[in-house]
Structures are given as structure tokens and as C-alpha cells.
Amino acid sequence: CPTSPAAPLAFTMFQLTRVYMGNSMFRGNASLNGQLSHLLEENNVTQVLPLEPPDAWARQQKVVITYLKNFRQLVQLFNKERPTKFTQHLCCHLGCRLYPNGTAQSFYEVTLNRTALLSFHVPNATWELRWPGELPVAAFAREQLMKYPITTQDLQYFLNTTCVSILQAQSARTGKVSGRSRAPLVLGLVLGSLVLLGLALGIFLCTGGSC
């Protein structure tokens, strides 16, 4: 939908992973100011907007596809160790908004089976528990995510700096996509994938209530 001049510019990413008896299904997308930029369907990630030249996009695409393959193998391994017969839905929603007065807001939210699980506090680069009540899975996942720079400092930089700079470049180009916003969009997809992988370590290793 077209945005009004007073509405904030936005870059958002959404990724949903469905796991059932060791099988993983993926879907998701990224959008820049309301325009679909990337699409994730099962094993395929496509660039909808021509943000990168074909050769550069082919390299980035390979990174994401490799991640999806590794994720599937990891889930299959967990399922052999601790089989589950129920479906789990893990959803990651992240991005940033730039308001007309120049202020910005970034976010990263994770839900498990449609219930808030974790959120990323961007200013302090810390993960916070959102699950209502105690859940060993959530605590373990948070512990894993706090261990690595890619899921703390790197993610903070992407959300607080890179993501916002994409929107700043767009603010003077209403309805157009700036060439300066190429690689960071895909970087966001990869970072989101790595965070999801970290969450998987907690969720699927701790299935059953104990870690």
C-alpha cells in the first residue's frame, strides 16, 4: 500500500519455520518501504527488486540456501535424539522504521507457536525473555544467542545502523530504490538466518522441558 508523507519509512523481514517430525518448511520475505524486495519459499530465496547485480546476488543466494540445508540437517539430528510428534512454528520478525523527524526505531521479535518467546533490545544488544512464565527452552535459547557476536553486536549494528542508513538513503527518493541499499538487505536475511539457527539449538535440544 502507498505510504503517506507523514508515515515512517520501514524495512522489515519476516521468516517462518515450521518443524514437524524432523521436517522443516520455510517461508518469509523482506520489504523496503512497502515494496517486496526478497522472497523465501522452501529451498528458494529470490530477489524481487533488482537490488544487486546477478553475479553478486548469486553469491548471496548460495549463502542463504546453504544455511537452509544446514538447518534442515540440524533439525533431523535433533529429531533422532529426541523425537517429537507435534508441530512447532518459529517466527522471526525484524526491521527498522525511520520517522519524518529523523528518529528511528529498530526491533527483532521471536514467537514460538504464536506466543512471544524472545525479543532483542537493540540499544544494549541483549536478548530478553518474553514467554509468559518459566520455560527452560526460552532461557536456554537466550543463553545461546548471548554467546556470539553475530547474534549480539553484529545484529545490533545491522538493526541500529545499517538498516536505518538504508531508510535514510530512501527518504529523498520516494517510491524509488536506492542502489546504495544492495548488500545490506541480503546481510539482514543472513543475520536473521543465523539468529534462527541459534534459537534452534535451544528449542529443539530442550524439547521436553529439560536442557
Side-chain angles (χ1 to χ4, degrees), residues 51-118:
L51 301 177
E52 289 190 290
D55 56 340
W57 169 245
R59 291 191 296 269
Q60 300 289 3
Q61 189 180 36
K62 186 179 296 184
V63 172
V64 178
I65 292 175
T66 298
Y67 152 74
L68 296 176
K69 178 181 178 181
N70 291 340
F71 185 94
R72 276 199 168 92
Q73 292 175 344
L74 187 63
V75 170
Q76 289 172 356
L77 175 62
F78 291 164
N79 189 66
K80 290 180 180 179
E81 295 293 328
R82 194 174 296 183
T84 58
K85 295 184 178 180
F86 55 89
T87 301
Q88 299 190 79
H89 293 90
L90 183 65
C91 178
C92 297
H93 182 218
L94 65 152
C96 62
R97 303 180 185 94
L98 179 65
Y99 294 89
N101 63 3
T103 60
Q105 179 186 28
S106 301
F107 64 94
Y108 197 122
E109 301 164 344
V110 182
T111 63
L112 176 63
N113 299 330
R114 300 178 178 85
T115 301
L117 180 68
L118 294 165

Side-chain angles (χ1 to χ4, degrees), residues 16-32:
L16 176 65
T17 301
R18 177 179 179 269
V19 177
Y20 177 68
M21 296 184 68
N23 298 312
S24 306
M25 299 176 63
F26 308 99
R27 64 183 177 90
N29 60 68
S31 62
L32 178 61

Side-chain angles (χ1 to χ4, degrees), residues 9-207:
L9 299 176
F11 169 53
T12 58
M13 294 189 298
F14 169 83
Q15 183 174 356
L16 176 65
T17 301
R18 177 179 179 269
V19 177
Y20 177 68
M21 296 184 68
N23 298 312
S24 306
M25 299 176 63
F26 308 99
R27 64 183 177 90
N29 60 68
S31 62
L32 178 61
N33 198 27
Q35 293 180 285
L36 184 66
S37 61
H38 296 81
L39 187 64
L40 173 65
E41 289 285 351
E42 291 299 330
N43 297 323
N44 300 313
V45 57
T46 56
Q47 181 179 237
V48 179
L49 293 178
L51 301 177
E52 289 190 290
D55 56 340
W57 169 245
R59 291 191 296 269
Q60 300 289 3
Q61 189 180 36
K62 186 179 296 184
V63 172
V64 178
I65 292 175
T66 298
Y67 152 74
L68 296 176
K69 178 181 178 181
N70 291 340
F71 185 94
R72 276 199 168 92
Q73 292 175 344
L74 187 63
V75 170
Q76 289 172 356
L77 175 62
F78 291 164
N79 189 66
K80 290 180 180 179
E81 295 293 328
R82 194 174 296 183
T84 58
K85 295 184 178 180
F86 55 89
T87 301
Q88 299 190 79
H89 293 90
L90 183 65
C91 178
C92 297
H93 182 218
L94 65 152
C96 62
R97 303 180 185 94
L98 179 65
Y99 294 89
N101 63 3
T103 60
Q105 179 186 28
S106 301
F107 64 94
Y108 197 122
E109 301 164 344
V110 182
T111 63
L112 176 63
N113 299 330
R114 300 178 178 85
T115 301
L117 180 68
L118 294 165
S119 66
F120 186 68
H121 189 254
V122 180
N124 297 331
T126 56
W127 287 92
E128 300 178 346
L129 296 175
R130 296 298 183 191
W131 192 268
E134 295 184 3
L135 182 70
V137 167
F140 185 83
R142 178 188 179 278
E143 179 184 341
Q144 293 300 311
L145 290 172
M146 288 298 299
K147 284 183 178 181
Y148 309 104
I150 189 98
T151 52
T152 52
Q153 288 93 347
D154 290 359
L155 183 59
Q156 179 193 46
Y157 184 85
F158 172 76
L159 291 173
N160 216 27
T161 304
T162 307
C163 184
V164 174
S165 68
I166 293 171
L167 298 178
Q168 289 171 338
Q170 293 300 109
S171 63
R173 299 174 174 82
T174 305
K176 296 182 179 180
V177 177
S178 169
R180 287 185 292 172
S181 64
R182 292 176 177 174
L185 291 175
V186 179
L187 173 63
L189 285 172
V190 175
L191 282 174
S193 298
L194 290 170
V195 171
L196 189 64
L197 186 60
L199 283 168
L201 291 173
I203 291 171
F204 298 110
L205 278 176
C206 291
T207 298

